[in-house]
Amino acid sequence: ETGVTQTPRHLVMGMTNKKSLKCEQHLGHNAMYWYKQSAKKPLELMFVYSLEERVENNSVPSRFSPECPNSSHLFLHLHTLQPEDSALYLCASSQVQGGKNSPLHFGNGTRLTVT
Amino acid sequence: GEDVEQSLFLSVREGDSSVINCTYTDSSSTYLYWYKQEPGAGLQLLTYIFSNMDMKQDQRLTVLLNKKDKHLSLRIADTQTGDSAIYFCAESDQTGANNLFFGTGTRLTVIP
């Protein structure tokens, strides 16, 4: 399989649940991203990992916890979410070399609904 | 901070040309991108243009860049119903792994 794969495609969880989103990239890239896409808002960059080091954390609430065990895998651990966290969560990857970034390649996203 | 703006909606008839416009504020933008998002899917990279170019053509797609006015457009020739999607403009100054800024997206509806 090629590209960026996200699982699950859909997730419904209660506010007291703990769940994890998974992303895997098969492109040999060295940077991975989590974006949040809500209705009528620009894509919000949540977290960036470059060479497995977190380089960006855009004031994301602590109920979202990323994990990047290696350059091909990225997780987003979720706990005690709020209904306003319902959104499409997109994973992306890119190649960063010499300080330059290739275009981002996105997965199909996980549609999260918090009840 | 960086700001990328697009109109929210565009409707065209099948077979006509579509032009989707984007403006940005970052004068240090190096690359400008167009992504397509179909329902239930992620963002698919369509094309991108380096800031020292003013036009790029790829089959039915033509990208025009007016760097002076910070205006980017995507023209789709002979628009088909399969082109119905949300189109996102994005810009980057290419200085690292965390600097891609997206517009809100333009929803293109193609009327048969």
Side-chain angles (χ1 to χ4, degrees), chain A residues 75-111:
Chain A
F75 296 90
L76 188 62
H77 303 300
L78 316 171
H79 66 97
T80 58
L81 294 191
Q82 304 298 310
E84 60 264 29
D85 297 322
S86 298
L88 182 69
Y89 288 84
L90 291 164
C91 174
S93 71
S94 71
Q95 181 69 15
V96 181
Q97 198 162 3
K100 302 297 184 183
N101 197 4
S102 74
L104 270 63
H105 292 258
F106 284 83
N108 284 329
T110 294
R111 173 70 61 185

Side-chain angles (χ1 to χ4, degrees), chain A residues 39-112:
Chain A
K40 299 180 182 177
K41 292 174 71 174
L43 271 77
E44 299 172 59
L45 178 64
M46 299 175 72
F47 301 105
V48 182
Y49 278 82
S50 180
L51 299 172
E52 300 157 43
E53 297 280 333
R54 190 192 303 183
V55 296
E56 185 82 21
N57 178 352
N58 278 349
S59 303
V60 179
S62 59
R63 57 186 183 267
F64 295 91
S65 174
E67 179 190 0
C68 186
N70 56 60
S71 60
S72 299
H73 293 86
L74 184 66
F75 296 90
L76 188 62
H77 303 300
L78 316 171
H79 66 97
T80 58
L81 294 191
Q82 304 298 310
E84 60 264 29
D85 297 322
S86 298
L88 182 69
Y89 288 84
L90 291 164
C91 174
S93 71
S94 71
Q95 181 69 15
V96 181
Q97 198 162 3
K100 302 297 184 183
N101 197 4
S102 74
L104 270 63
H105 292 258
F106 284 83
N108 284 329
T110 294
R111 173 70 61 185
L112 174 67

Side-chain angles (χ1 to χ4, degrees), chain B:
Chain B
E2 294 78 0
D3 193 17
V4 180
E5 294 195 357
Q6 302 176 239
S7 54
L8 291 178
F9 302 100
L10 176 66
S11 293
V12 299
R13 294 209 171 271
E14 189 174 14
D16 289 350
S17 292
S18 308
V19 180
I20 303 170
N21 294 302
C22 170
T23 58
Y24 60 96
T25 58
D26 186 4
S27 58
S28 62
S29 294
T30 307
Y31 282 93
L32 295 122
Y33 305 85
W34 284 105
Y35 282 86
K36 176 184 180 183
Q37 186 177 33
E38 296 183 9
L43 274 68
Q44 172 197 357
L45 178 66
L46 282 180
T47 185
Y48 61 98
I49 188 168
F50 189 53
S51 62
N52 69 353
M53 300 168 64
D54 53 18
M55 188 181 89
K56 181 178 179 181
Q57 186 154 7
D58 183 2
Q59 299 182 343
R60 292 190 298 122
L61 305 179
T62 303
V63 179
L64 295 177
L65 174 61
N66 181 329
K67 193 176 181 183
K68 174 174 170 290
D69 295 337
K70 299 191 183 69
H71 181 268
L72 182 75
S73 68
L74 174 69
R75 179 177 180 270
I76 306 173
D78 187 25
T79 313
Q80 303 298 307
T81 54
D83 295 323
S84 293
I86 302 175
Y87 290 82
F88 291 89
C89 169
E91 61 91 10
S92 166
D93 64 7
Q94 281 289 304
T95 57
N98 57 348
N99 60 348
L100 196 65
F101 297 94
F102 285 88
T104 53
T106 299
R107 182 180 295 277
L108 173 65
T109 301
V110 181
I111 305 164

